[in-house]
Amino acid sequence: MEFLDLPQQLSAVGTVRLPGSKSISNRVLLLAALADGVSEVRDLLASDDTERMLEALQALGIGVESLGAESWRIRGCAGRIPVKQAALFLGNAGTAFRPLTAALALAGGDYTLTGVARMHERPIGDLVDGLRQLGADITYLGNEGYPPLQLKPAAIRPDGVIQVRGDVSSQFLTGLLMALPLTGETVTVDVVGDLISKPYIEITLAIMARFGVVVVRDGWQRFTVPAGSRYVSPGTLYVEGDASSASYFLALGAIGGGPVRVEGVGSESIQGDVKFAEALAQMGAVIEMGPNWMAARAPQGGLHAVDLDCNHIPDAAMTLATTALFARGTTTLRNIASWRVKETDRIAAMAIELRKLGAEVEEGADFIKITPSTLKPAAIDTYDDHRMAMCFSLAALATPLRINDPQCVAKTFPDYFSCFAAVTRAAPVIAIDGPSASGKGTVAARVAAALGYAYLDSGALYRLTALAAQRAAVAWDDEAAVATLAAQLPVSFSEDDILLAGIPVGDAIRTEAMSAGASQVAALPAVRDALLFRQRAFNTAPGLVGDGRDMGSVVFPQASLKVFLTASAEVRAERRYKQLIDKGFSANLPDLLSDLQQRDARDSQRSVAPLRQEADAYLLDTTALTIEQAVNQVLAWQANALS
Ligand code: DC
């Protein structure tokens, strides 16, 4: 499985140019395809969902041409889809699946529409029922009420009033409304039940109007598409930035100091999710806005919890769930039943993952309640849901964390994590690598103390693994078994000792036997993998000094300072000799020297994470230096690195 490890972030400030809105992009593409005339669409979102729509349009014979830099030329078919038979794969793109179902069912042709497994679990029955009232011939190829679908040519009878439910997904009404001009007659849609996610209907109506079709409406209950309505290209169109995508950066500003400014959406946006800014303001954030931009910063005294009806911002409300981790009190997000039928069951997924971080969560059929606590590092699963990945990145302002399958953000925001990195500042790391007994442990611990940073003795983790294996009677070369032990190592670090299963280990990991065991288990790739996140979890505020063999090369390649600390083998053997004697162990200098040379060879010649000086590491040879001098040198380099 792929993953992305995020260190704890100290702050967030900066500006992000947003990618195009997913909702607007896919609506515009479909209407441009159905319109009379050629449209040029600029600032289109480049993502999985829009790719599925573009592919589908091409398969249907629509002229689609890339003009570079997120601009596309679409040759409209004036309501007559050229290809009458096609099999369309629409991935997990609800914004492609629902409107295409409606348009193709009314356009007349022989089409199959399929998606990924999750798409086949997302209901579409209410839309199909609406279309069948118009005479459409639609067959469920799998489960009743769900994709995949087969559409056949049928005599469409646009007679008067049809009914569609509006309380599961507003995309059914959107799909119907966008397709109705294809009938050429007057059709009225009555919404049954309470219409949810109303702002998305506003987007639909606004874009239809841009293409020349004005829907007559009676509140949120009744929508009429008049006879003779037809789509006409408006020429060139600019897609707004994605307001849901904006939510992550506004939240970052509200949590991490800010200001964080997003460009591409603002007070003149047609997207309902700009209302996220109001919700954030209710939590105390300081919000500013212009026609085409918004900015957020943290309030004095921090954010506080809210109790909110989120029906109008279903997608952006997910961002509130992780923002709640930083707010005093219990946040309740209500009226979010639609979360259960999105890319994943978002209420369940959110609850499971928030709990992993240590929050207290209560979930109901249509609400979630979050009470924060001190957050702890965790590996977050993303459920093939872009918003899960983006929401949970916010937690990095409190704790290091791992995001599994981070590439799922490609659904709507392929560059998300580089934009995230551009506006956040990670807790710095000083990586000190070097051979055994070079004095790096002593130097690293003192540098950490001087700077108030955390200290990671990574060698101790390998030593503990060797000790745990010995205690469990597992051989040091049994890779799978040692890796399992390493992954579950019940270790904690107290002020003056390391605890294994709650018991201080003292010098038990410092013996020559454990040095040899550590060197052996450290050569096993599965063991190194098992210990990777555990090490990265030390990368907390205000900073970290880590010492070992691969701090700069593997564990913290982004370190603000890398030092390769060494000394001649003879001097190291002497230092080790003194250390052992001081601790009351017996020792023999020639044996120590030869053991040291053997370990050096094994640590530097192994295939995984061998000990070597990185190209960007400073060399610090301590053969002729005192500890004090070595510490001062590292501190001077770090001051320089951070300036
Ligand atoms: O630094 P140390 O002597 O406590 O390390 C013990 C062993 O663990 C040593 O043989 C090398 C290995 N090690 C490693 O492979 N990678 C690290 N980051 C730290 C130690």
Side-chain angles (χ1 to χ4, degrees):
M1 180 167 36
E2 286 195 25
F3 55 80
L4 174 71
D5 289 335
L6 294 174
Q8 186 178 354
Q9 308 295 319
L10 302 177
S11 59
V13 64
T15 299
V16 173
R17 172 97 211 147
L18 294 166
S21 152
K22 173 181 73 157
S23 308
I24 296 178
S25 291
N26 268 353
R27 282 169 174 80
V28 163
L29 284 177
L30 181 63
L31 296 197
L34 296 178
D36 192 356
V38 176
S39 302
E40 279 193 18
V41 184
R42 306 215 187 259
D43 299 337
L44 191 83
L45 170 65
S47 73
D48 290 349
D49 278 20
T50 46
E51 262 174 44
R52 294 296 84 72
M53 179 63 104
L54 285 163
E55 283 164 12
L57 295 180
Q58 270 166 320
L60 293 168
I62 306 291
V64 167
E65 188 190 339
S66 167
L67 304 174
E70 326 313 356
S71 290
W72 294 80
R73 181 176 294 134
I74 314 288
R75 293 182 188 282
C77 68
R80 289 178 297 278
I81 307 267
V83 172
K84 292 290 173 203
Q85 189 168 26
L88 306 178
F89 172 75
L90 299 166
N92 201 7
T95 56
F97 207 107
R98 281 72 177 265
L100 276 169
T101 296
L104 295 177
L106 299 188
D110 192 341
Y111 304 106
T112 54
L113 276 65
T114 60
V116 297
R118 174 63 187 166
M119 193 73 230
H120 296 175
E121 293 169 2
R122 299 174 68 183
I124 197 163
D126 294 338
L127 174 60
V128 170
D129 290 348
L131 291 164
R132 281 177 174 165
Q133 292 167 54
L134 292 165
D137 181 347
I138 303 173
T139 310
Y140 296 112
L141 295 175
N143 292 331
E144 194 72 7
Y146 296 84
L149 301 178
Q150 166 112 56
L151 315 181
K152 293 273 189 199
I156 298 301
R157 310 176 299 271
D159 47 4
V161 181
I162 60 168
Q163 302 200 313
V164 66
R165 272 181 59 185
D167 53 356
V168 175
S169 167
S170 66
Q171 287 185 27
F172 303 146
L173 179 58
T174 281
L176 261 182
L177 290 175
M178 292 204 299
L180 285 178
L182 295 175
T183 67
E185 303 295 330
T186 298
V187 183
T188 295
V189 183
D190 261 354
V191 179
V192 182
D194 266 350
L195 180 62
I196 61 165
S197 314
K198 296 183 179 83
Y200 285 100
I201 301 301
E202 301 264 27
I203 297 179
T204 304
L205 300 181
I207 297 173
M208 287 173 72
R210 277 303 297 278
F211 281 87
V213 172
V214 176
V215 177
V216 181
R217 56 182 273 201
D218 179 2
W220 295 104
Q221 230 46 61
R222 204 156 229 254
F223 299 84
T224 301
V225 176
S229 293
R230 59 187 200 97
Y231 292 122
V232 178
S233 164
T236 301
L237 249 130
Y238 288 83
V239 174
E240 278 185 21
D242 194 293
S244 314
S245 299
S247 69
Y248 312 110
F249 295 99
L250 295 177
L252 277 174
I255 299 164
V260 175
R261 179 180 161 114
V262 292
E263 290 181 346
V265 285
S267 53
E268 287 180 2
S269 169
I270 60 167
Q271 297 170 74
D273 269 358
V274 288
K275 289 264 194 298
F276 171 82
E278 284 172 20
L280 207 54
Q282 285 184 45
M283 297 180 91
V286 184
I287 305 287
E288 285 180 283
M289 213 179 277
N292 195 33
W293 63 271
M294 298 190 276
R297 69 196 147 80
Q300 295 262 328
L303 299 171
H304 52 79
V306 283
D307 185 329
L308 269 186
D309 182 323
C310 297
N311 190 273
H312 61 303
I313 49 169
D315 284 352
M318 287 180 76
T319 314
L320 295 175
T322 48
T323 305
L325 294 171
F326 298 86
R328 252 172 298 112
T330 299
T331 291
T332 308
L333 307 177
R334 299 183 192 277
N335 209 351
I336 52 168
S338 68
W339 281 22
R340 295 217 181 261
V341 294
K342 296 286 174 113
E343 280 79 344
T344 185
D345 178 340
R346 286 176 165 170
I347 296 184
M350 189 57 86
I352 292 169
E353 302 307 314
L354 287 170
R355 285 186 191 120
K356 280 188 191 169
L357 289 167
E360 202 183 296
V361 185
E362 188 189 331
E363 62 168 296
D366 67 348
F367 74 88
I368 191 164
K369 268 187 193 199
I370 300 136
T371 311
S373 67
T374 309
L375 298 192
K376 54 176 194 244
I380 300 298
D381 289 314
T382 49
Y383 307 77
D384 200 18
D385 182 350
H386 55 138
R387 298 208 188 283
M388 286 293 289
M390 296 189 280
C391 283
F392 275 88
S393 67
L394 304 182
L397 278 152
T399 176
L401 76 159
R402 169 166 288 188
I403 306 242
N404 286 329
D405 291 324
Q407 68 284 2
C408 64
V409 300
K411 189 170 203 287
T412 50
F413 201 158
D415 293 338
Y416 177 73
F417 286 106
S418 46
C419 292
F420 178 89
V423 297
T424 50
R425 196 159 61 87
V429 179
I430 301 176
I432 303 183
D433 289 306
S436 282
S438 54
K440 62 188 185 319
T442 312
V443 171
R446 292 207 190 173
V447 169
L451 295 171
Y453 285 11
Y455 167 52
L456 166 63
D457 170 4
S458 64
L461 289 174
Y462 292 96
R463 290 172 179 271
L464 283 161
T465 303
L467 180 66
Q470 191 190 52
R471 289 184 178 170
V474 166
W476 284 333
D477 60 358
D478 184 344
E479 180 163 3
V482 180
T484 306
L485 278 175
Q488 295 159 0
L489 211 57
V491 59
S492 54
F493 294 81
S494 74
E495 276 282 287
D496 37 34
D497 207 344
I498 300 172
L499 312 179
L500 192 57
I503 301 164
V505 293
D507 285 333
I509 57 166
R510 300 289 165 199
T511 64
E512 279 302 282
M514 250 0 104
S515 296
S519 176
Q520 274 192 44
V521 300
L524 306 173
V527 172
R528 303 199 76 84
D529 280 352
L531 291 176
L532 185 60
F533 182 55
R534 197 181 276 271
Q535 296 173 77
R536 289 179 174 166
F538 281 83
N539 193 174
T540 52
L544 171 70
V545 185
D547 86 57
R549 306 293 185 285
D550 61 345
M551 296 293 96
S553 58
V554 176
V555 184
F556 303 112
Q558 83 290 0
S560 47
L561 171 65
K562 297 181 187 178
V563 177
F564 190 77
L565 194 147
T566 188
S568 72
E570 289 71 20
V571 165
R572 288 189 285 127
E574 269 169 37
R575 287 177 185 165
R576 187 87 181 118
Y577 179 79
K578 268 194 71 196
Q579 229 177 30
L580 289 170
I581 297 295
D582 286 351
K583 288 194 169 145
F585 293 117
S586 66
N588 165 304
L589 191 56
D591 285 355
L592 275 178
L593 179 57
S594 104
D595 284 356
L596 207 71
Q597 283 164 333
Q598 269 180 37
R599 280 217 302 280
D600 280 358
R602 184 159 46 210
D603 291 347
S604 51
Q605 284 161 19
R606 68 183 177 215
S607 56
V608 283
L611 173 66
R612 61 182 151 84
Q613 185 184 350
E614 287 292 286
D616 53 352
Y618 289 97
L619 177 66
L620 185 57
D621 187 332
T622 65
T623 307
L625 294 185
T626 63
I627 293 170
E628 188 101 82
Q629 287 170 319
V631 169
N632 287 338
Q633 177 62 78
V634 176
L635 289 173
W637 280 330
Q638 172 69 353
N640 193 36
L642 293 186
S643 67

